[in-house]
Amino acid sequence: MSFGEALFLRSFGSVPRTVDWRFHSTSPWRHLRISPVCGSRLTLSFKTEKIGGGGAFAAGDVRQMLQEFDPTISLSEAITPPSSWYTDPSFLALEFERVFFRGWQVAGFVEQVKSPNDFFTGRLGNVEFVVCRDASGELRAFHNVCRHHASVLASGSGQRSCFECPYHGWTYGLDGLLLRATRITGIKNFNKNNFGLLPLNVASWGPFVLINVDKNMPIKQKHSRYEVGNDWLGSASKILSANGIDTSLEYICRRKYTIECNWKVFCDNYLDGGYHVVYAHGGLASGLKLDSYNTSIYENVSIQSCETAAAKGNDIDRLGSKAFYVFVYPNFMINRYGPWMDTNLAFPLGPNKCQVIFDYFLDPSMMNDEEFIESSLKESEIVQMEDITLCEGVQKGLESPAYCSGSSYNLLLFDAPFVRNSFPGMSHARRK
């Protein structure tokens, strides 16, 4: 199923007055221009009468939730996914199994492991991982778990020539080999070569480091940029490379936000940009020409773009002449505007909580302009706090017995790939 095959649009008569949706797929909806339109959440085909009030399915039957997807229903009669997709713990468990634990996921950025012995750690669901660059300069990733008594091995980030377990002192090289095992005298048939760290597939694309924790994917020491770009970004990879998503920018800082909402609510809000900005982000809206808002949809990527308005008076010009807002399925966002690039990575912490990590990058020519950097980050922070208020309000509404599903006003651009990945038979039926 392509994005274009699972979209429903409804006219509102509100800004932006024109949105040009381009669907890069084999679907007959390859190019569609609609005016006026506002969109954010993808509408899947669900049978209205099958979904009960409050959005909860009996016994949290997640597969029943997905079986409610009916590819035979006309998109004009469809409704949005039920609120249980945003509140039920069993649905989140399926998301980890079918989404996060399959395919490439952003783990960090190249700047964090640019030199030998650099490392950083992270967690994806129940997977603890460590990414490092060994003494020979090879990029590596491992499960961050000691093979002795299961202690988490490393924490944070920095530089190390080896990883020593804080529990019993077992020590591993940055190539994953077990270098030292303490108090093993008398243990029969012990072979330290069998107790190295368990490797993960790791690669880089542009400034980003990606890992793949799929148990069924063979471990390879090196993955080509073309291979990774094709798997992760599809046909959008060349477009992103040509629009300044590269390694030439300097890293500035990181900010983390813990938000009381399902991770998909945050992504919904991001994809809803052209609709809610004028109502919720007055400052940002004043710097955008919303009539020029354009969305192009690729296999697993949505690219929103918008021309910007000239800065007024003494206002800083942080947006440049055009802004690009890129969503990469399932949880990564890239914002490129003026001399800036910032990225947003949304991690589930539970069915109603997520952490979003913002990393900021800047053109080297602006690195010494401290006033510009401080003012830009302040403006960005205002937008983030406005979005957090919106997202937490939506989550409360999703948990209310008054809401189950909404009418088909919006577009959620990752539900289609999720259903495709979870139930291949459904996506095949959708191609009819």
Side-chain angles (χ1 to χ4, degrees):
M1 184 194 307
S2 69
F3 286 127
E5 291 170 302
L7 296 177
F8 175 76
L9 304 175
R10 176 162 178 158
S11 173
F12 279 83
S14 57
V15 293
R17 291 198 297 272
T18 302
V19 173
D20 189 5
W21 294 90
R22 299 180 186 273
F23 305 116
H24 299 260
S25 71
T26 56
S27 165
W29 291 29
R30 197 177 185 100
H31 180 206
L32 178 63
R33 188 173 180 86
I34 298 176
S35 176
V37 65
C38 294
S40 62
R41 288 171 57 190
L42 169 81
T43 299
L44 296 174
S45 300
F46 289 94
K47 295 180 179 177
T48 308
E49 68 273 11
K50 288 290 188 71
I51 300 177
F57 284 77
D61 188 348
V62 65
R63 283 168 176 78
Q64 182 183 343
M65 297 179 204
L66 284 174
Q67 292 294 348
E68 293 299 325
F69 174 78
D70 186 346
T72 67
I73 292 179
S74 167
L75 291 174
S76 62
E77 300 176 290
I79 59 176
T80 59
S83 56
S84 54
W85 285 37
Y86 298 79
T87 60
D88 194 296
S90 60
F91 196 85
L92 177 61
L94 184 64
E95 289 175 329
F96 275 116
E97 175 190 342
R98 299 296 178 91
V99 177
F100 291 103
F101 295 164
R102 299 184 183 183
W104 292 104
Q105 307 290 335
V106 172
F109 50 95
V110 173
E111 181 74 14
Q112 294 175 286
V113 283
K114 66 179 180 180
S115 302
N117 297 338
D118 284 350
F119 79 96
F120 67 87
T121 60
R123 179 183 176 92
L124 180 61
N126 61 0
V127 176
E128 299 280 353
F129 64 84
V130 57
V131 176
C132 61
R133 196 170 294 278
D134 67 20
S136 65
E138 292 292 333
L139 184 65
R140 297 180 182 271
F142 304 96
H143 286 274
N144 187 21
V145 177
C146 181
R147 299 292 306 282
H148 180 214
H149 272 196
S151 173
V152 170
L153 191 62
S155 60
S157 61
Q159 271 213 333
R160 288 188 186 177
S161 59
C162 61
F163 296 120
E164 182 178 279
C165 179
Y167 197 3
H168 297 109
W170 283 39
T171 304
Y172 303 84
L174 271 65
D175 56 3
L177 296 179
L178 178 62
L179 302 178
R180 184 170 72 103
T182 59
R183 298 193 182 184
I184 58 171
T185 302
I187 297 179
K188 295 182 179 180
N189 302 318
F190 179 83
N191 184 344
K192 71 175 185 178
N193 294 328
N194 296 331
F195 286 87
L197 297 178
L198 298 180
L200 294 169
N201 280 295
V202 63
S204 63
W205 188 94
F208 312 120
V209 173
L210 303 97
I211 61 172
N212 191 322
V213 302
D214 190 340
K215 294 181 292 185
N216 297 317
M217 181 180 183
I219 299 295
K220 288 176 59 177
Q221 183 54 46
K222 290 185 178 181
H223 297 267
S224 72
R225 186 180 190 278
Y226 173 81
E227 172 192 4
V228 173
N230 187 60
D231 288 348
W232 184 46
L233 302 171
S235 57
S237 61
K238 292 182 179 179
I239 297 171
L240 299 189
S241 295
N243 283 281
I245 313 298
D246 54 42
T247 57
S248 66
L249 303 177
E250 297 284 343
Y251 178 71
I252 296 295
C253 66
R254 166 172 286 190
R255 292 178 176 176
K256 297 181 180 180
Y257 303 89
T258 299
I259 308 176
E260 300 294 326
C261 72
N262 184 275
W263 69 279
K264 297 189 298 299
V265 170
F266 183 87
C267 295
D268 278 2
N269 180 72
Y270 182 87
L271 291 164
D272 172 70
Y275 190 0
H276 81 273
V277 167
V278 69
Y279 304 105
H281 303 305
L284 177 61
S286 66
L288 297 173
K289 297 179 180 178
L290 290 173
D291 286 350
S292 70
Y293 216 92
N294 175 83
T295 298
S296 297
I297 303 173
Y298 301 81
E299 296 89 345
N300 288 331
V301 176
S302 164
I303 301 178
Q304 303 172 80
S305 61
C306 187
E307 296 177 7
T308 61
K312 299 178 181 179
N314 295 324
D315 293 346
I316 64 167
D317 183 18
R318 74 183 184 98
L319 296 178
S321 61
K322 195 170 187 178
F324 290 89
Y325 305 105
V326 181
F327 176 81
V328 183
Y329 175 81
N331 65 331
F332 189 57
M333 291 137 272
I334 308 168
N335 309 299
R336 188 71 170 92
Y337 47 95
W340 286 98
M341 180 177 76
D342 69 72
T343 62
N344 321 145
L345 185 60
F347 284 118
L349 298 180
N352 57 4
K353 180 182 290 189
C354 67
Q355 182 182 72
V356 183
I357 300 174
F358 279 66
D359 286 307
Y360 290 87
F361 304 80
L362 185 61
D363 188 280
S365 65
M366 303 296 293
M367 288 295 292
N368 294 325
D369 193 335
E370 295 183 4
E371 181 180 355
F372 174 78
I373 293 173
E374 182 179 352
S375 298
S376 296
L377 292 175
K378 183 178 180 179
E379 289 190 15
S380 178
E381 178 75 5
I382 291 172
V383 176
Q384 311 325 321
M385 299 312 297
E386 291 169 343
D387 276 332
I388 288 174
T389 298
L390 294 174
C391 291
E392 293 185 340
V394 168
Q395 187 66 33
K396 290 177 181 177
L398 288 167
E399 295 172 358
S400 166
Y403 186 89
C404 172
S405 290
S407 54
S408 310
Y409 287 179
N410 305 326
L411 309 171
L412 173 57
L413 296 178
F414 48 75
D415 279 342
F418 173 74
V419 175
R420 176 188 67 206
N421 294 339
S422 301
F423 289 87
M426 289 184 178
S427 59
H428 175 74
R430 193 71 195 96
R431 292 193 182 100
K432 290 182 180 178

